[in-house]
Amino acid sequence: MIVDRSDEVPRQKWPRRFPVPRNLGVAAHSRIADGKSWPAPKGAVPIATLRVYRFDPEGAAGARLETFRVDLDDCGPMLLDALIWIKNRIDPTLTFRRSCREGVCGSCSMTIDGTNWTACTRAMADLAEPATVYPLANLPVIKDLVPDQSHLFAQYEMIEPWLQAETPAPERERLQSPEERAALDGYYECILCFCCSSCCPSHWWNGDRFLGPATLLQAWRWLADSRDEARGARLDTLEDPFRLYRCHTILNCTRTCPRGLNPGRAIAEIKKMMIERQG
Amino acid sequence: MPRPRPKSPNMQNYRPQLTSVISFGHRLSGVGLSLGAFGLAGWLAAGASGPEAYGAAQALLLSAFGRAVLFLITLALFYHLCNGIRHLVWDNVRGLELREIYLGGGAVVAASLILTLAFWTWGLA
């Protein structure tokens, strides 16, 4: 029951999802139909079943769930390996983002068995049978498992994620004490996979104006930087009923971060700094 | 013209977790308490407008249905109170490690159940 680390795979069998109709509040063009079920490869014994979200922008059909059966003896250990195996052996049109295959690039984040994680760091052995693979939750889908993240990156740009200083640059680098540098630990490691923003219910309902956990963690990363001199302006940008304060400390973000970071704590730090500024 | 992009599901597919369930419960209990406040105002208004109206209000409140509603309101009150304290702790940037989040959530559920049962067992005696 107690979860110590975000990399613990959810074990509870019930409930798998909230007791709401599948299509509650879902626009007609976003509804998901049952799709093709591909047969198991001949002679394969250990098989994993994957129910994968498909959408082809050039096809006539809408979004659908296709069932693939993966030959585990012929495939690497991680979910990303299985997706690549499907692309090579069953359906070359299956589309997804991937790059580093070791959890440092954040490209292959998706909603796996109902929680967000990077496909390259989720072992097939930890999946349910059958497992579900959806594109990152609550985002417009370009194709299959590739969501459109432009809105999330536009929000990230809004917090001006770069060092801002008025004082002239010294001859060499701007120095930090080890303590000042340590204040960034747990924040600078964010890879912008957007697992957290995608599973934040506040961002689901108010994502147009609420910045979401990933962007707010980045905002704190610059507020906490001893070399940055734009703290006042940064806080001014965030002081808004929606941008910052739509965070209701639900903490799905901290539960899901594939890097084990804590967006919830970063946001609490910003709220506290906001209060301290008011004196 | 390109077709509109479908939106990937959020609540319809995302797994319920202690974090989100406790938070939804906080919102739900808050709504319940707001409705309960109308009930309280109605009960006071009935008391102010004479013995007949007050008697009717009492009969409704003491019926099995009325007691069930009152029980749920006390549960909502204690739950909202306990989770509110958890929020105060968070606002001081404490208790935000994942283990503390889960322990605190379990403690809120247990404490609100114990307080509600204790209130109905001894508080009303």
Side-chain angles (χ1 to χ4, degrees), chain A residues 40-59:
Chain A
K42 279 202 185 82
V45 178
I47 283 176
T49 315
L50 295 181
R51 309 253 297 148
V52 182
Y53 181 104
R54 304 297 305 271
F55 171 72
D56 178 5
E58 288 163 356

Side-chain angles (χ1 to χ4, degrees), chain A residues 24 56 136 138 141 252 262 265, chain B residues 3 6 8 10 19 96-97:
Chain A
L24 178 76
D56 178 5
L136 219 42
N138 197 47
V141 178
N252 269 8
N262 198 331
R265 189 176 56 212
Chain B
R3 292 193 294 153
S8 54
N10 47 48
T19 46
L96 284 159
E97 290 307 314

Side-chain angles (χ1 to χ4, degrees), chain A residues 9 63 76 109 159 191:
Chain A
V9 180
S109 51
I159 58 133
I191 55 175

